[in-house]
Amino acid sequence: MSSHGTPPAPPPPGGVLWSEAGDIRMLLTLPAALTMQVAHPAVGAGVDQYSVFRTDPWGRGERSLRSVQLWVYGGEAAAEEGRRLRRLHRTIQGTDTRGRHYHALAGPTYAWVHATGFPVFVHGRRYLGRPYTEAQERQLYAEWLQVGRILGINDRDMPQTIEEFWPYYRKMLADEIEATTVVRELVGVHTPVPPPDRGPRPVRLLLRALWPVLLPPLARFRRFVTIGLMPPDAREALGLPWTPSQERALRRFGLVVRAVVPVLPGRLRYLPLAREARARAARTGAARSGLRR
């Protein structure tokens, strides 16, 4: 709640997140952010013990993606989604990989889950779009703080300026994050993943039949974008290898993405909640984002 007792509002139409969060390129950056989240010993332990990501990865991913979209495009539903997540995490507690008691909603722990999105957005943009200007980066951070408030994170647990964020972030890399069991699974190429269980039945049956052939290259691609779109200092802190040839391949891949995605029709470029929100904004004359590509 705000100081006046009203629910925090989502980031505004026309803002940086309004342009970014619903663009399909965001799907490429999510694995890096998720991997950084579970690199925190408490978060990794909670996900290892409580999450269904191993048995229901497609459902888990679909729910997570919808949640992220609601934070930005949900309007009044954004605050309710934040409350729902807090209810969901209320009973998640235990002992982390360092023998410390944890609770999923402890301020510093929950704040790290939120914090990872900002450096991943900034780093990923350098490959998948035009790098942010200084003003856009500051605006993005201000909007990301607003998302944190929607999630119920106290301002005291979130660095309030970019100048405060980067020392906090570097300290977390140095003192807290590690290659947890879940990190190793998320970047592994031999991690078992069941075939998709959503979509038209003929498609599901076809994917099930082809899954032994499709999974290995998909797993290698997932590892490639997860490590490549992770900020280099986080990658180094986790001991994840990245070669000059991989860097060149990522830059080539980024050039293709930057050329193709901006010319796609809206129904292909934007995720469903973003499309709906953009249509509403167009009808009401809300500001359009100035970000390009």
Side-chain angles (χ1 to χ4, degrees):
M1 293 288 182
S2 73
S3 59
H4 299 288
T6 57
V16 178
L17 273 176
W18 181 265
S19 172
E20 298 285 271
D23 189 299
I24 59 171
R25 285 173 285 190
M26 191 270 293
L27 297 175
L28 295 168
T29 63
L30 273 181
L34 292 171
T35 302
M36 288 171 61
Q37 290 171 10
V38 299
H40 189 291
V43 181
V47 170
D48 189 23
Q49 182 177 356
Y50 291 94
S51 176
V52 297
F53 81 98
R54 295 183 180 99
T55 56
D56 183 25
W58 302 102
R60 178 72 179 84
E62 183 179 71
R63 292 188 294 273
S64 295
L65 182 60
R66 176 174 173 79
S67 184
V68 172
Q69 297 294 291
L70 282 172
W71 305 344
V72 179
Y73 304 107
E76 294 180 359
E80 174 52 37
E81 177 62 10
R83 291 189 290 269
R84 185 191 72 83
L85 289 173
R86 293 187 71 82
R87 291 193 298 270
L88 183 67
H89 289 85
R90 194 171 292 157
T91 59
I92 297 179
Q93 57 185 312
T95 303
D96 72 14
T97 58
R98 301 181 186 180
R100 304 172 299 191
H101 176 76
Y102 74 85
H103 191 288
L105 294 179
T109 302
Y110 208 40
W112 172 251
V113 173
H114 163 259
T116 56
F118 176 68
V120 169
F121 265 124
V122 172
H123 180 65
R125 183 75 184 181
R126 294 168 183 160
Y127 295 89
L128 305 177
R130 293 181 182 175
Y132 295 124
T133 65
E134 181 181 348
Q136 288 169 342
E137 193 169 315
R138 288 183 178 278
Q139 183 182 352
L140 173 63
Y141 190 71
E143 293 175 3
W144 201 238
L145 286 176
Q146 192 67 8
V147 168
R149 296 177 188 118
I150 288 170
L151 296 176
I153 302 172
N154 289 317
D155 277 1
R156 66 173 178 268
D157 292 319
M158 298 184 292
Q160 293 298 292
T161 66
I162 286 182
E163 287 79 9
E164 294 173 355
F165 176 81
W166 293 116
Y168 153 81
Y169 168 73
R170 287 191 289 269
K171 188 174 190 305
M172 291 294 293
L173 296 186
D175 297 345
E176 281 292 334
I177 76 165
E178 61 184 42
T180 62
T181 297
V182 183
V183 166
R184 292 193 293 271
E185 289 186 39
L186 291 180
V187 299
V189 295
H190 300 297
T191 304
V193 179
D197 56 0
R198 281 153 173 74
R201 188 169 183 272
V203 175
R204 286 187 280 117
L205 292 175
L206 179 62
L207 287 173
R208 187 183 304 170
L210 296 176
W211 200 238
V213 176
L214 294 175
L215 180 57
L218 287 174
R220 290 193 295 271
F221 178 73
R222 180 187 63 184
R223 176 182 172 88
F224 173 70
V225 296
T226 299
I227 299 176
L229 294 177
M230 185 181 294
D233 46 6
R235 184 194 304 153
E236 182 178 350
L238 293 175
L240 298 174
W242 189 249
T243 66
S245 64
Q246 287 175 311
E247 177 67 19
R248 290 191 294 271
L250 181 62
R251 291 185 181 278
R252 290 193 297 270
F253 174 70
L255 288 174
V256 174
V257 171
R258 286 179 60 176
V260 171
V261 172
V263 299
L264 292 175
R267 67 182 184 278
L268 298 179
R269 179 175 177 180
Y270 296 105
L271 298 168
L273 283 177
R275 289 200 306 271
E276 295 168 10
R278 292 171 72 88
R280 286 195 304 270
R283 289 194 298 270
T284 59
R288 296 179 61 190
S289 170
L291 283 182
R292 297 181 179 178
R293 294 186 180 269

